Amino acid sequence: SGTETAPRLCVFRSNSAIYAQIIDDTKGITLVSSSSLELKIKNNNLEAAAAVGKDIAEKAKKAKIKTVVFDRGGYIYHGRVKALAEAARENGLEF
């Protein structure tokens, strides 16, 4: 679970989109969120997941969030989930 100092980066993937949100579980609020729907990406592939990862990392920087706990939501660390995580790391988030 996430705290104030290290909130939780939660990933949800569906057949049509991929979503990511950074959550502070102690307060029960979503601090930052992004999705392929929000970015208006038609394809649901690795490039879409990487774009969401990059967007969530940029929004986290603006919200002064550096460190997160990664919650893959029970999905295997492979494919779209891995692409999102690696893009977020490359753009400044620390897991």
Side-chain angles (χ1 to χ4, degrees), residues 7-92:
R8 176 170 55 110
L9 171 59
C10 183
V11 176
F12 175 75
R13 65 180 175 86
S14 69
N15 289 335
S16 60
I18 189 158
Y19 307 84
Q21 55 183 347
I22 297 178
I23 304 166
D24 181 356
D25 288 318
T26 56
K27 294 180 182 174
I29 58 171
T30 299
L31 304 171
V32 178
S33 68
S34 181
S35 72
S36 58
L37 294 177
E38 179 183 318
L39 298 174
K40 295 184 169 83
I41 300 172
K42 299 282 183 198
N43 296 330
N44 189 22
N45 53 19
L46 296 176
E47 289 80 21
V52 172
K54 180 180 178 185
D55 187 52
I56 196 86
E58 290 172 355
K59 288 180 178 179
K61 279 184 194 175
K62 289 179 186 172
K64 298 186 178 18
I65 301 168
K66 294 180 184 176
T67 307
V68 295
V69 177
F70 188 60
D71 175 13
R72 53 189 171 81
Y75 303 114
I76 334 175
Y77 188 78
H78 180 72
R80 292 181 288 160
V81 175
K82 182 178 178 182
L84 188 145
E86 288 179 353
R89 278 193 193 106
E90 289 171 5
N91 287 284

